[in-house]
Amino acid sequence: FVNNDAANILSPTDWMVVRAAEGGTAVPSSTTTKRAAVRTKANTHCTNIDNAADVDALAALTFDWPAQP
């Protein structure tokens, strides 16, 4: 679910990345910074899930996300 959440947060700005990749306008740096923060947070959340010692530790996790890009 973490990667799905991250994808949903990133999807509104995916078109900017595609446009830039196809030789169009560059993605604003504020957008790339926020997108990177979402990916970093998703990786952190996945690591925390992997490191949870038991179900109680897993249930205690909170999943905060950076502001939408």
Side-chain angles (χ1 to χ4, degrees):
F1 75 92
V2 169
N3 290 330
N4 283 340
D5 286 351
N8 288 334
I9 293 168
L10 294 173
S11 67
T13 57
D14 284 349
W15 68 273
M16 293 180 188
V17 175
V18 172
R19 179 185 62 184
E22 292 178 348
T25 305
V27 179
S29 62
S30 61
T31 300
T32 57
T33 298
K34 290 176 183 176
R35 287 176 61 89
V38 170
R39 288 190 301 275
T40 299
K41 185 60 81 165
N43 291 336
T44 299
H45 290 330
C46 288
T47 299
N48 290 341
I49 290 169
D50 290 342
N51 292 338
D54 54 30
V55 174
D56 290 335
L58 187 60
L61 294 176
T62 58
F63 298 99
D64 58 323
W65 290 98
Q68 299 230 354

